[in-house]
Amino acid sequence: MKRPILYHPDPRLKKSCAPVDDLTDDLRTLADDMLATMYDAPGVGLAAPQVGALTRLIVLDCVKEEGEKQRPLIMFNPQLLGVSDALNTYEEGCLSIPEQFADVTRPAEVEVSWIDRDGKEHREGMDGLWATCVQHEIDHLDGKLFIDHLKPLKRQMITRKMIKFKRELARG
């Protein structure tokens, strides 16, 4: 089931999320709903706080090539175990900050651990878009948005645009 996405500025997007201690059916349903929401948006990643759930859960699928098999990942308690010294700059966007993009520099490669929807532990090295996306989504779990990586003036400009966007949405 598709869930509504929260838009910046919303105080829930700035909160740290609690770790998942017990994988319940409700959490599995949340994860499945988040994947459906992400694909529908369309996006390559989504964090639980973006749909109003303050729990350490992200979903991603960075396969973008036409005809290539999707690779949906559900990550409970994702954790960066290590990052490279080498950096990459990507133009990032966010489903909670629609139509706003900016270059963000992050480590080019990361080592990530997580628990899947069946409770199985995983560990994987990621690079390219996958590395950027997983770092972006983990940031959400710590109450950080991609615009928090920008200079204050650019961040304020985007925030003002989002306030206007939300006002126009509310008017219908």
Side-chain angles (χ1 to χ4, degrees):
M1 174 182 86
K2 197 177 136 220
R3 297 193 182 210
I5 295 172
L6 302 179
Y7 295 122
H8 168 70
D10 184 301
R12 291 169 287 186
L13 294 172
K14 300 303 285 177
K15 297 203 181 308
S16 286
C17 296
V20 174
D21 297 323
D22 184 28
L23 275 180
T24 63
D25 286 342
D26 284 348
L27 285 172
R28 287 182 185 90
T29 299
L30 172 62
D32 294 340
D33 289 355
M34 285 172 57
L35 274 175
T37 303
M38 178 193 78
Y39 284 129
D40 182 71
V44 293
L46 188 67
Q50 293 180 270
V51 293
L54 296 179
T55 192
R56 293 194 80 79
L57 164 62
I58 64 174
V59 299
L60 43 143
D61 186 348
C62 297
V63 174
K64 293 171 72 168
E65 299 303 314
E66 193 69 36
E68 204 175 325
K69 189 177 182 313
Q70 290 180 326
R71 185 180 180 230
L73 290 180
I74 292 172
M75 299 180 158
F76 290 98
N77 298 333
Q79 191 174 355
L80 292 177
L81 302 174
V83 300
S84 67
D85 290 334
L87 301 175
N88 253 349
T89 301
Y90 271 98
E91 185 181 62
E92 292 189 27
C94 181
L95 296 177
S96 290
I97 310 175
E99 298 175 26
Q100 302 301 315
F101 303 92
D103 286 344
V104 177
T105 301
R106 300 179 184 269
E109 297 176 21
V110 296
E111 180 83 17
V112 189
S113 69
W114 74 92
I115 299 165
D116 69 15
R117 69 186 316 282
D118 300 317
K120 186 176 174 219
E121 292 186 26
H122 294 266
R123 184 180 183 139
E124 184 177 324
M126 296 182 172
D127 61 10
L129 181 59
W130 287 93
T132 296
C133 186
V134 78
Q135 291 173 83
H136 175 114
E137 299 309 331
I138 290 172
D139 272 359
H140 274 296
L141 303 182
D142 298 322
K144 193 170 189 177
L145 302 171
F146 86 90
I147 61 172
D148 294 327
H149 292 275
L150 306 177
K151 289 188 165 62
L153 197 60
K154 176 85 169 158
R155 184 172 53 244
Q156 290 166 359
M157 187 180 75
I158 290 174
T159 297
R160 279 196 296 275
K161 287 179 181 177
M162 287 306 302
I163 291 168
K164 183 179 176 192
F165 169 79
K166 285 176 77 170
R167 220 180 359 243
E168 289 168 4
L169 264 185
R171 286 193 195 121

